[in-house]
PDB file of all heavy atoms in Angstrom:
ATOM      1  N   ASN A   8     121.560  85.951 153.659  1.00 96.00           N
ATOM      2  CA  ASN A   8     122.427  85.248 154.632  1.00 96.00           C
ATOM      3  C   ASN A   8     122.740  86.294 155.759  1.00 96.00           C
ATOM      4  O   ASN A   8     123.512  87.219 155.567  1.00 96.00           O
ATOM      5  CB  ASN A   8     123.707  84.754 154.016  1.00 96.00           C
ATOM      6  CG  ASN A   8     124.557  83.914 154.910  1.00 96.00           C
ATOM      7  OD1 ASN A   8     124.929  84.383 156.044  1.00 96.00           O
ATOM      8  ND2 ASN A   8     124.845  82.737 154.499  1.00 96.00           N
ATOM      9  N   TYR A   9     122.187  86.084 156.923  1.00 94.00           N
ATOM     10  CA  TYR A   9     122.352  87.044 158.083  1.00 94.00           C
ATOM     11  C   TYR A   9     123.846  87.156 158.458  1.00 94.00           C
ATOM     12  O   TYR A   9     124.311  88.246 158.686  1.00 94.00           O
ATOM     13  CB  TYR A   9     121.532  86.539 159.235  1.00 94.00           C
ATOM     14  CG  TYR A   9     121.802  87.324 160.535  1.00 94.00           C
ATOM     15  CD1 TYR A   9     121.162  88.613 160.705  1.00 94.00           C
ATOM     16  CD2 TYR A   9     122.649  86.908 161.484  1.00 94.00           C
ATOM     17  CE1 TYR A   9     121.382  89.346 161.814  1.00 94.00           C
ATOM     18  CE2 TYR A   9     122.904  87.649 162.621  1.00 94.00           C
ATOM     19  CZ  TYR A   9     122.215  88.867 162.778  1.00 94.00           C
ATOM     20  OH  TYR A   9     122.502  89.577 163.905  1.00 94.00           O
ATOM     21  N   GLY A  10     124.550  86.033 158.466  1.00 95.00           N
ATOM     22  CA  GLY A  10     125.924  86.101 158.913  1.00 95.00           C
ATOM     23  C   GLY A  10     126.838  86.900 158.014  1.00 95.00           C
ATOM     24  O   GLY A  10     127.620  87.704 158.492  1.00 95.00           O
ATOM     25  N   ILE A  11     126.687  86.657 156.709  1.00 95.00           N
ATOM     26  CA  ILE A  11     127.459  87.404 155.757  1.00 95.00           C
ATOM     27  C   ILE A  11     127.127  88.888 155.814  1.00 95.00           C
ATOM     28  O   ILE A  11     127.998  89.777 155.781  1.00 95.00           O
ATOM     29  CB  ILE A  11     127.271  86.879 154.305  1.00 95.00           C
ATOM     30  CG1 ILE A  11     127.841  85.478 154.160  1.00 95.00           C
ATOM     31  CG2 ILE A  11     127.907  87.783 153.302  1.00 95.00           C
ATOM     32  CD1 ILE A  11     127.577  84.788 152.870  1.00 95.00           C
ATOM     33  N   MET A  12     125.864  89.232 155.895  1.00 96.00           N
ATOM     34  CA  MET A  12     125.385  90.622 155.925  1.00 96.00           C
ATOM     35  C   MET A  12     125.940  91.315 157.235  1.00 96.00           C
ATOM     36  O   MET A  12     126.439  92.433 157.150  1.00 96.00           O
ATOM     37  CB  MET A  12     123.914  90.725 155.923  1.00 96.00           C
ATOM     38  CG  MET A  12     123.380  92.156 155.652  1.00 96.00           C
ATOM     39  SD  MET A  12     123.859  92.735 154.030  1.00 96.00           S
ATOM     40  CE  MET A  12     123.355  94.436 154.187  1.00 96.00           C
ATOM     41  N   LYS A  13     125.909  90.586 158.297  1.00 95.00           N
ATOM     42  CA  LYS A  13     126.445  91.170 159.542  1.00 95.00           C
ATOM     43  C   LYS A  13     127.927  91.430 159.473  1.00 95.00           C
ATOM     44  O   LYS A  13     128.412  92.496 159.906  1.00 95.00           O
ATOM     45  CB  LYS A  13     126.157  90.169 160.707  1.00 95.00           C
ATOM     46  CG  LYS A  13     126.690  90.628 162.080  1.00 95.00           C
ATOM     47  CD  LYS A  13     126.402  89.592 163.094  1.00 95.00           C
ATOM     48  CE  LYS A  13     126.904  90.036 164.466  1.00 95.00           C
ATOM     49  NZ  LYS A  13     126.710  88.999 165.509  1.00 95.00           N
ATOM     50  N   ASN A  14     128.660  90.560 158.832  1.00 96.00           N
ATOM     51  CA  ASN A  14     130.101  90.699 158.712  1.00 96.00           C
ATOM     52  C   ASN A  14     130.458  91.906 157.758  1.00 96.00           C
ATOM     53  O   ASN A  14     131.357  92.700 158.049  1.00 96.00           O
ATOM     54  CB  ASN A  14     130.780  89.453 158.184  1.00 96.00           C
ATOM     55  CG  ASN A  14     130.832  88.373 159.168  1.00 96.00           C
ATOM     56  OD1 ASN A  14     130.805  88.634 160.369  1.00 96.00           O
ATOM     57  ND2 ASN A  14     130.934  87.085 158.721  1.00 96.00           N
ATOM     58  N   LEU A  15     129.674  92.050 156.705  1.00 96.00           N
ATOM     59  CA  LEU A  15     129.908  93.185 155.791  1.00 96.00           C
ATOM     60  C   LEU A  15     129.590  94.552 156.501  1.00 96.00           C
ATOM     61  O   LEU A  15     130.365  95.461 156.305  1.00 96.00           O
ATOM     62  CB  LEU A  15     129.028  93.048 154.551  1.00 96.00           C
ATOM     63  CG  LEU A  15     129.393  91.969 153.574  1.00 96.00           C
ATOM     64  CD1 LEU A  15     128.342  91.788 152.483  1.00 96.00           C
ATOM     65  CD2 LEU A  15     130.749  92.239 152.959  1.00 96.00           C
ATOM     66  N   ILE A  16     128.548  94.592 157.272  1.00 96.00           N
ATOM     67  CA  ILE A  16     128.260  95.785 158.004  1.00 96.00           C
ATOM     68  C   ILE A  16     129.350  96.101 159.026  1.00 96.00           C
ATOM     69  O   ILE A  16     129.774  97.240 159.190  1.00 96.00           O
ATOM     70  CB  ILE A  16     126.866  95.660 158.735  1.00 96.00           C
ATOM     71  CG1 ILE A  16     125.729  95.561 157.709  1.00 96.00           C
ATOM     72  CG2 ILE A  16     126.635  96.785 159.718  1.00 96.00           C
ATOM     73  CD1 ILE A  16     124.416  95.234 158.342  1.00 96.00           C
ATOM     74  N   HIS A  17     129.838  95.052 159.677  1.00 96.00           N
ATOM     75  CA  HIS A  17     130.939  95.206 160.640  1.00 96.00           C
ATOM     76  C   HIS A  17     132.185  95.764 159.978  1.00 96.00           C
ATOM     77  O   HIS A  17     132.791  96.704 160.509  1.00 96.00           O
ATOM     78  CB  HIS A  17     131.201  93.858 161.266  1.00 96.00           C
ATOM     79  CG  HIS A  17     132.385  93.912 162.254  1.00 96.00           C
ATOM     80  ND1 HIS A  17     132.370  94.556 163.471  1.00 96.00           N
ATOM     81  CD2 HIS A  17     133.613  93.350 162.104  1.00 96.00           C
ATOM     82  CE1 HIS A  17     133.540  94.426 164.031  1.00 96.00           C
ATOM     83  NE2 HIS A  17     134.331  93.708 163.247  1.00 96.00           N
ATOM     84  N   GLU A  18     132.556  95.225 158.872  1.00 97.00           N
ATOM     85  CA  GLU A  18     133.791  95.626 158.154  1.00 97.00           C
ATOM     86  C   GLU A  18     133.607  97.059 157.585  1.00 97.00           C
ATOM     87  O   GLU A  18     134.597  97.828 157.681  1.00 97.00           O
ATOM     88  CB  GLU A  18     134.057  94.634 157.011  1.00 97.00           C
ATOM     89  CG  GLU A  18     134.479  93.310 157.454  1.00 97.00           C
ATOM     90  CD  GLU A  18     135.774  93.283 158.250  1.00 97.00           C
ATOM     91  OE1 GLU A  18     136.648  94.107 158.007  1.00 97.00           O
ATOM     92  OE2 GLU A  18     135.859  92.439 159.202  1.00 97.00           O
ATOM     93  N   LEU A  19     132.448  97.424 157.108  1.00 97.00           N
ATOM     94  CA  LEU A  19     132.256  98.796 156.667  1.00 97.00           C
ATOM     95  C   LEU A  19     132.254  99.795 157.832  1.00 97.00           C
ATOM     96  O   LEU A  19     132.746 100.929 157.678  1.00 97.00           O
ATOM     97  CB  LEU A  19     130.916  98.919 155.888  1.00 97.00           C
ATOM     98  CG  LEU A  19     130.658 100.208 155.118  1.00 97.00           C
ATOM     99  CD1 LEU A  19     131.800 100.520 154.174  1.00 97.00           C
ATOM    100  CD2 LEU A  19     129.351 100.143 154.392  1.00 97.00           C
ATOM    101  N   THR A  20     131.758  99.370 158.933  1.00 97.00           N
ATOM    102  CA  THR A  20     131.825 100.219 160.135  1.00 97.00           C
ATOM    103  C   THR A  20     133.301 100.475 160.529  1.00 97.00           C
ATOM    104  O   THR A  20     133.624 101.628 160.935  1.00 97.00           O
ATOM    105  CB  THR A  20     131.056  99.619 161.319  1.00 97.00           C
ATOM    106  OG1 THR A  20     129.705  99.357 160.889  1.00 97.00           O
ATOM    107  CG2 THR A  20     131.057 100.515 162.535  1.00 97.00           C
ATOM    108  N   LYS A  21     134.136  99.439 160.426  1.00 97.00           N
ATOM    109  CA  LYS A  21     135.528  99.590 160.788  1.00 97.00           C
ATOM    110  C   LYS A  21     136.201 100.573 159.854  1.00 97.00           C
ATOM    111  O   LYS A  21     137.026 101.393 160.284  1.00 97.00           O
ATOM    112  CB  LYS A  21     136.235  98.242 160.700  1.00 97.00           C
ATOM    113  CG  LYS A  21     135.912  97.325 161.930  1.00 97.00           C
ATOM    114  CD  LYS A  21     136.446  95.915 161.687  1.00 97.00           C
ATOM    115  CE  LYS A  21     137.932  95.853 161.398  1.00 97.00           C
ATOM    116  NZ  LYS A  21     138.396  94.435 161.301  1.00 97.00           N
ATOM    117  N   LEU A  22     135.870 100.548 158.563  1.00 97.00           N
ATOM    118  CA  LEU A  22     136.352 101.477 157.586  1.00 97.00           C
ATOM    119  C   LEU A  22     135.932 102.913 157.993  1.00 97.00           C
ATOM    120  O   LEU A  22     136.728 103.902 157.845  1.00 97.00           O
ATOM    121  CB  LEU A  22     135.923 101.187 156.175  1.00 97.00           C
ATOM    122  CG  LEU A  22     136.647  99.993 155.541  1.00 97.00           C
ATOM    123  CD1 LEU A  22     136.075  99.782 154.090  1.00 97.00           C
ATOM    124  CD2 LEU A  22     138.127 100.206 155.455  1.00 97.00           C
ATOM    125  N   GLU A  23     134.651 103.033 158.382  1.00 97.00           N
ATOM    126  CA  GLU A  23     134.224 104.401 158.834  1.00 97.00           C
ATOM    127  C   GLU A  23     135.052 104.878 159.976  1.00 97.00           C
ATOM    128  O   GLU A  23     135.405 106.104 160.031  1.00 97.00           O
ATOM    129  CB  GLU A  23     132.772 104.311 159.290  1.00 97.00           C
ATOM    130  CG  GLU A  23     131.736 104.262 158.143  1.00 97.00           C
ATOM    131  CD  GLU A  23     130.349 104.191 158.694  1.00 97.00           C
ATOM    132  OE1 GLU A  23     130.101 103.600 159.825  1.00 97.00           O
ATOM    133  OE2 GLU A  23     129.420 104.718 157.988  1.00 97.00           O
ATOM    134  N   GLU A  24     135.323 104.042 160.930  1.00 96.00           N
ATOM    135  CA  GLU A  24     136.063 104.443 162.123  1.00 96.00           C
ATOM    136  C   GLU A  24     137.471 104.858 161.742  1.00 96.00           C
ATOM    137  O   GLU A  24     138.004 105.879 162.232  1.00 96.00           O
ATOM    138  CB  GLU A  24     136.092 103.315 163.108  1.00 96.00           C
ATOM    139  CG  GLU A  24     134.755 103.001 163.763  1.00 96.00           C
ATOM    140  CD  GLU A  24     134.723 101.727 164.492  1.00 96.00           C
ATOM    141  OE1 GLU A  24     135.665 100.882 164.412  1.00 96.00           O
ATOM    142  OE2 GLU A  24     133.661 101.442 165.161  1.00 96.00           O
ATOM    143  N   GLU A  25     138.069 104.132 160.849  1.00 96.00           N
ATOM    144  CA  GLU A  25     139.434 104.487 160.358  1.00 96.00           C
ATOM    145  C   GLU A  25     139.405 105.839 159.611  1.00 96.00           C
ATOM    146  O   GLU A  25     140.279 106.650 159.782  1.00 96.00           O
ATOM    147  CB  GLU A  25     139.974 103.424 159.388  1.00 96.00           C
ATOM    148  CG  GLU A  25     140.290 102.088 160.056  1.00 96.00           C
ATOM    149  CD  GLU A  25     140.732 101.014 159.031  1.00 96.00           C
ATOM    150  OE1 GLU A  25     141.112 101.460 157.909  1.00 96.00           O
ATOM    151  OE2 GLU A  25     140.640  99.839 159.342  1.00 96.00           O
ATOM    152  N   PHE A  26     138.340 106.022 158.891  1.00 97.00           N
ATOM    153  CA  PHE A  26     138.192 107.245 158.087  1.00 97.00           C
ATOM    154  C   PHE A  26     138.057 108.481 158.981  1.00 97.00           C
ATOM    155  O   PHE A  26     138.746 109.523 158.779  1.00 97.00           O
ATOM    156  CB  PHE A  26     136.948 107.162 157.193  1.00 97.00           C
ATOM    157  CG  PHE A  26     136.606 108.407 156.468  1.00 97.00           C
ATOM    158  CD1 PHE A  26     137.405 108.844 155.371  1.00 97.00           C
ATOM    159  CD2 PHE A  26     135.533 109.245 156.884  1.00 97.00           C
ATOM    160  CE1 PHE A  26     137.015 110.026 154.688  1.00 97.00           C
ATOM    161  CE2 PHE A  26     135.242 110.381 156.225  1.00 97.00           C
ATOM    162  CZ  PHE A  26     135.970 110.775 155.110  1.00 97.00           C
ATOM    163  N   ILE A  27     137.217 108.419 160.032  1.00 95.00           N
ATOM    164  CA  ILE A  27     137.009 109.617 160.883  1.00 95.00           C
ATOM    165  C   ILE A  27     138.237 109.871 161.673  1.00 95.00           C
ATOM    166  O   ILE A  27     138.568 111.087 162.008  1.00 95.00           O
ATOM    167  CB  ILE A  27     135.740 109.451 161.778  1.00 95.00           C
ATOM    168  CG1 ILE A  27     135.854 108.206 162.681  1.00 95.00           C
ATOM    169  CG2 ILE A  27     134.490 109.410 160.896  1.00 95.00           C
ATOM    170  CD1 ILE A  27     134.647 108.096 163.619  1.00 95.00           C
ATOM    171  N   VAL A  28     139.035 108.853 162.051  1.00 92.00           N
ATOM    172  CA  VAL A  28     140.305 109.113 162.775  1.00 92.00           C
ATOM    173  C   VAL A  28     141.265 109.851 161.823  1.00 92.00           C
ATOM    174  O   VAL A  28     141.966 110.778 162.187  1.00 92.00           O
ATOM    175  CB  VAL A  28     140.857 107.801 163.273  1.00 92.00           C
ATOM    176  CG1 VAL A  28     142.331 108.049 163.748  1.00 92.00           C
ATOM    177  CG2 VAL A  28     139.997 107.241 164.441  1.00 92.00           C
ATOM    178  N   LEU A  29     141.323 109.361 160.574  1.00 92.00           N
ATOM    179  CA  LEU A  29     142.200 109.937 159.558  1.00 92.00           C
ATOM    180  C   LEU A  29     141.791 111.389 159.301  1.00 92.00           C
ATOM    181  O   LEU A  29     142.619 112.285 159.140  1.00 92.00           O
ATOM    182  CB  LEU A  29     142.147 109.115 158.284  1.00 92.00           C
ATOM    183  CG  LEU A  29     143.132 109.561 157.163  1.00 92.00           C
ATOM    184  CD1 LEU A  29     144.533 109.455 157.606  1.00 92.00           C
ATOM    185  CD2 LEU A  29     142.844 108.727 155.944  1.00 92.00           C
ATOM    186  N   GLU A  30     140.491 111.604 159.223  1.00 91.00           N
ATOM    187  CA  GLU A  30     140.017 113.021 158.966  1.00 91.00           C
ATOM    188  C   GLU A  30     140.393 113.926 160.118  1.00 91.00           C
ATOM    189  O   GLU A  30     140.807 115.069 159.872  1.00 91.00           O
ATOM    190  CB  GLU A  30     138.452 112.978 158.839  1.00 91.00           C
ATOM    191  CG  GLU A  30     137.931 112.391 157.558  1.00 91.00           C
ATOM    192  CD  GLU A  30     137.992 113.472 156.443  1.00 91.00           C
ATOM    193  OE1 GLU A  30     137.275 114.431 156.505  1.00 91.00           O
ATOM    194  OE2 GLU A  30     138.743 113.241 155.520  1.00 91.00           O
ATOM    195  N   TYR A  31     140.266 113.460 161.350  1.00 85.00           N
ATOM    196  CA  TYR A  31     140.611 114.247 162.479  1.00 85.00           C
ATOM    197  C   TYR A  31     142.114 114.536 162.524  1.00 85.00           C
ATOM    198  O   TYR A  31     142.499 115.669 162.699  1.00 85.00           O
ATOM    199  CB  TYR A  31     140.170 113.528 163.746  1.00 85.00           C
ATOM    200  CG  TYR A  31     140.615 114.249 165.028  1.00 85.00           C
ATOM    201  CD1 TYR A  31     139.947 115.418 165.476  1.00 85.00           C
ATOM    202  CD2 TYR A  31     141.740 113.794 165.739  1.00 85.00           C
ATOM    203  CE1 TYR A  31     140.374 116.062 166.632  1.00 85.00           C
ATOM    204  CE2 TYR A  31     142.172 114.475 166.868  1.00 85.00           C
ATOM    205  CZ  TYR A  31     141.450 115.591 167.333  1.00 85.00           C
ATOM    206  OH  TYR A  31     141.850 116.252 168.427  1.00 85.00           O
ATOM    207  N   SER A  32     142.860 113.507 162.277  1.00 81.00           N
ATOM    208  CA  SER A  32     144.329 113.660 162.311  1.00 81.00           C
ATOM    209  C   SER A  32     144.883 114.588 161.250  1.00 81.00           C
ATOM    210  O   SER A  32     145.820 115.336 161.439  1.00 81.00           O
ATOM    211  CB  SER A  32     145.040 112.330 162.220  1.00 81.00           C
ATOM    212  OG  SER A  32     144.653 111.497 163.336  1.00 81.00           O
ATOM    213  N   SER A  33     144.250 114.575 160.043  1.00 81.00           N
ATOM    214  CA  SER A  33     144.689 115.357 158.953  1.00 81.00           C
ATOM    215  C   SER A  33     144.544 116.892 159.186  1.00 81.00           C
ATOM    216  O   SER A  33     145.189 117.640 158.556  1.00 81.00           O
ATOM    217  CB  SER A  33     143.991 114.977 157.697  1.00 81.00           C
ATOM    218  OG  SER A  33     142.592 115.344 157.756  1.00 81.00           O
ATOM    219  N   LYS A  34     143.672 117.257 160.132  1.00 79.00           N
ATOM    220  CA  LYS A  34     143.439 118.632 160.454  1.00 79.00           C
ATOM    221  C   LYS A  34     144.393 119.214 161.483  1.00 79.00           C
ATOM    222  O   LYS A  34     144.434 120.377 161.705  1.00 79.00           O
ATOM    223  CB  LYS A  34     141.967 118.826 160.934  1.00 79.00           C
ATOM    224  CG  LYS A  34     140.991 118.495 159.869  1.00 79.00           C
ATOM    225  CD  LYS A  34     139.574 118.571 160.426  1.00 79.00           C
ATOM    226  CE  LYS A  34     138.535 118.161 159.386  1.00 79.00           C
ATOM    227  NZ  LYS A  34     137.160 118.143 159.892  1.00 79.00           N
TER     228      LYS A  34
END
């Protein structure tokens, strides 16, 4: 299902973005 897969990739990308911001701030 292209739609579901696209949404999962989008959500995981958002988690990556949150993570790298957190990593930067923690330093």
